[in-house]
Amino acid sequence: IFWTLSMAATAVLRSICSIVLPALDKNEMQRYIQESSGMLNRFSCDSLFNSDEVKEVLSKVGCAMLEISNLPAINNEFGRDAGDVAINEFCEMLENVGNDYGIVVRNGGNEFLIVIANCTSELMDRCLEELNNSVDLYNETSGNSALEIRSSYVLNADNNFTRFSEVITLAYHQLH
């Protein structure tokens, strides 16, 4: 039953994205989509949580912040092209796993978000475990630079923040 409730709330997030994003012209779309990865960007996530339809979801939202912690080392040792490959490969893994749980967002640089409605620690842990398994498999089989991922997460049910930016800020501080 919980999974169904979480999926329903996540569907609300996705439906708002599907209504808002296609209605945008190309110039407006650039404000919401991170060009190189094609993922939602931080601005789109902030805008989404400012809509009246999603404000009720905020009270039980979970937000994981993830970082490719060795991206500077990959860039330094193998060049920026290798760093771009690492980002693109991670984005693919993140979307493959994260989209089953909620929405994924490029926060900028080497930072990413997974946002899950009606989130519990068990649900977030399951999502992050799946992502870690994908990264481990990638590291064992890809032949590319191994990825090192750090993460932290915040459950707003534990904090009662009234703005999504506060959730992200706490996740950022916990990561760093």
Side-chain angles (χ1 to χ4, degrees):
I1 292 175
F2 173 77
W3 182 253
T4 304
L5 291 174
S6 178
M7 294 304 288
T10 297
V12 169
L13 294 176
R14 287 200 186 120
S15 69
I16 292 169
C17 287
S18 69
I19 291 167
V20 171
L21 295 179
L24 301 175
D25 67 30
K26 185 176 180 179
N27 290 333
E28 290 175 314
M29 184 68 84
Q30 290 176 347
R31 292 177 30 214
Y32 293 91
I33 303 293
Q34 204 281 329
E35 190 174 343
S36 64
S37 67
M39 295 174 79
L40 294 173
N41 63 23
R42 170 68 186 277
F43 176 77
S44 67
C45 201
D46 291 342
S47 299
L48 179 67
F49 275 95
N50 284 332
S51 70
D52 290 334
E53 297 90 348
V54 177
K55 285 185 179 176
E56 66 188 55
V57 174
L58 180 62
S59 66
K60 295 181 182 174
V61 76
C63 178
M65 180 164 287
L66 305 111
E67 174 186 74
I68 306 172
S69 58
N70 65 329
L71 186 62
I74 292 170
N75 284 336
N76 288 337
E77 188 171 341
F78 303 107
R80 291 195 59 98
D81 287 344
D84 290 345
V85 167
I87 290 171
N88 290 333
E89 296 288 330
F90 180 69
C91 286
E92 187 175 326
M93 287 181 272
L94 180 60
E95 287 183 311
N96 286 339
V97 172
N99 283 336
D100 287 342
Y101 290 88
I103 59 174
V104 295
V105 178
R106 177 103 183 250
N107 195 44
N110 63 342
E111 292 178 347
F112 304 85
L113 306 172
I114 300 173
V115 181
I116 303 174
N118 284 335
C119 192
T120 64
S121 58
E122 293 83 8
L123 187 60
M124 185 63 81
D125 288 340
R126 187 177 335 135
C127 176
L128 293 175
E129 181 180 352
E130 267 188 60
L131 181 61
N132 287 333
N133 291 341
S134 293
V135 170
D136 289 345
L137 181 62
Y138 171 84
N139 287 342
E140 292 170 10
T141 61
S142 74
N144 292 327
S145 300
L147 300 177
E148 297 172 10
I149 307 302
R150 292 186 325 137
S151 65
S152 68
Y153 69 84
V154 171
L155 303 177
N156 199 31
D158 297 339
N159 296 284
N160 299 311
F161 291 126
T162 57
R163 293 184 325 220
F164 186 66
S165 61
E166 295 173 298
V167 176
I168 293 175
T169 298
L170 181 55
Y172 177 85
H173 288 300
Q174 288 178 351
L175 186 65
H176 298 283

